[in-house]
Amino acid sequence: MSGGTGSGVGAVAPAKINLALRVGARRDDGFHPLNTLFHAVDLLERVTVRPSAGPADAVEVRGRDARAVPLDRSNLVLRAAELLRDRAARREFSPVEFLIDKAIPVAGGLAGGSADGAAALVALNELWGLGLSRERLIALAGELGSDVPFALHGGTAVGHGRGELLSPVAAGGTLHWVLLTDPRGVSTPEAFQMFDELRAGAGPASPPPIPGELLDAVRSGDPWAVGAGLVNDLEPAVFAFRPELEELVARARLAGACGAVVSGSGPTVACLAPDSAAADVLADELRSVHTAGDVLRASGPAAGAAGA
Ligand code: ATP
């Protein structure tokens, strides 16, 4: 951050894993209706914002995959600033500059960009003294993208529609994860396009429900029951692009994971361990198998975007 004026306001926001992702048929407007079970994990993005002396909003990005993040108006933190100026009807809010510290892989299926958008909403609400409630911020977040409301909400929640309509689920315990990242990201639109091709017009128009057994498992906090219930309808499409990920899911199970699943449109594979110590062992084991990307530890549920 250079050339800014005044002190910054910071916020953090979590990555998400889809414990379930059920997908219906493509609608005429191009979207696929979803039923998903979001789970926030403590892999946190940090966004700092401060007034800028420059002529326009600007963003600097550091950390993981920083060079893959767009610096133009498509960046979700810049879109968050535009949205709040628009909705607060206060066009006179002076330019700001953002610093994003990335921990979440870009295009990894963990909604890192959405976490940045959520953190930006929280930080700007504070910087500009807007006094918007969390409920109002969550409603506004839906205009930035379908995963942004959950990045504000955090915890574990069922998402409907495009994923933006949230119903919280009270999780019964901490889940310990090993995340296998892959530098070759999967484009979400391409994954959905492949999903359409594979379905070839067959399959249900409405997304299948989240399995009741999985919801019960999350409420009870039993990692083996959660692991057995992990489901992602996009996996066949993602595996069509990246067959080695199917192998990775199988290897994780053999290595002692309670379950493993591609998160969202991938390519990150989320492996659930029975407990924290077992997750460390699993991570060590998978490091020798998974050399294409990183092996990260995380746990959830984590809180939603908050000032920091
Ligand atoms: P999604 O499933 O929402 O596409 P993802 O979790 O697979 O997301 P993200 O890291 O959120 O992946 O990035 C998706 C795309 O969003 C990136 O390729 C990038 O072009 C764009 N993007 C916009 N703002 C950001 C940001 N602040 N950080 C990362 N990517 C961003």
Side-chain angles (χ1 to χ4, degrees):
M1 262 179 155
S2 56
T5 59
S7 57
V9 174
V12 293
K16 63 82 183 160
I17 296 170
N18 301 87
L19 304 182
L21 182 56
R22 312 310 312 264
V23 183
R26 184 180 183 277
R27 299 187 313 214
D28 289 343
D29 63 4
F31 282 103
H32 292 77
L34 304 176
N35 280 323
T36 188
L37 183 55
F38 287 118
H39 176 71
V41 294
D42 59 356
L43 189 61
L44 302 179
E45 300 279 89
R46 172 178 290 272
V47 172
T48 310
V49 63
R50 63 177 178 174
S52 166
D57 293 340
V59 59
E60 180 184 338
V61 186
R62 296 182 191 160
R64 178 179 289 273
D65 298 344
R67 277 183 297 174
V69 176
L71 301 178
D72 63 13
R73 291 164 63 97
S74 70
N75 193 301
L76 282 164
V77 300
L78 299 180
R79 292 188 45 217
E82 275 306 293
L83 179 69
L84 285 184
R85 278 199 189 90
D86 188 53
R87 292 314 149 85
R90 298 274 294 277
R91 305 298 308 178
E92 76 274 18
F93 281 141
S94 60
V96 290
E97 60 183 34
F98 292 95
L99 174 62
I100 304 176
D101 274 311
K102 289 203 73 73
I104 305 174
V106 172
L110 300 171
S114 301
D116 297 340
L121 288 175
V122 169
L124 287 167
N125 191 33
E126 174 72 22
L127 181 75
W128 287 339
L130 298 174
L132 298 172
S133 67
R134 181 152 290 258
E135 290 67 31
R136 180 77 182 118
L137 286 178
I138 289 175
L140 285 170
E143 298 188 37
L144 293 180
S146 39
D147 289 343
V148 189
F150 179 71
L152 269 155
H153 185 284
T156 306
V158 173
H160 304 286
R162 286 187 272 135
E164 80 286 15
L165 308 169
L166 299 170
S167 315
V169 175
T174 302
L175 296 175
H176 299 277
W177 297 92
V178 176
L179 304 178
L180 308 179
T181 74
D182 193 309
R184 290 165 299 161
V186 171
S187 143
T188 304
E190 283 175 21
F192 276 98
Q193 201 177 330
M194 179 61 80
F195 172 87
D196 295 339
E197 284 173 26
L198 294 177
R199 287 268 166 115
S206 300
I210 309 292
E213 296 83 356
L214 177 61
L215 290 168
D216 289 344
V218 167
R219 290 190 188 103
S220 73
D222 174 352
W224 288 103
V226 174
L230 298 171
V231 57
N232 183 351
D233 290 345
L234 282 183
E235 274 187 343
V238 176
F239 294 156
F241 290 117
R242 306 287 303 278
E244 70 277 16
L245 296 179
E246 188 165 16
E247 172 77 4
L248 205 51
V249 167
R251 294 295 289 267
R253 293 200 181 108
L254 284 174
C258 307
V261 71
V262 169
S263 183
S265 55
T268 304
V269 172
C271 314
L272 181 59
D275 56 44
S276 177
D280 291 336
V281 173
L282 180 65
D284 283 343
E285 187 112 344
L286 290 174
R287 270 188 197 103
S288 59
V289 180
H290 182 60
T291 49
D294 288 335
V295 177
L296 307 176
R297 283 276 282 106
S299 59

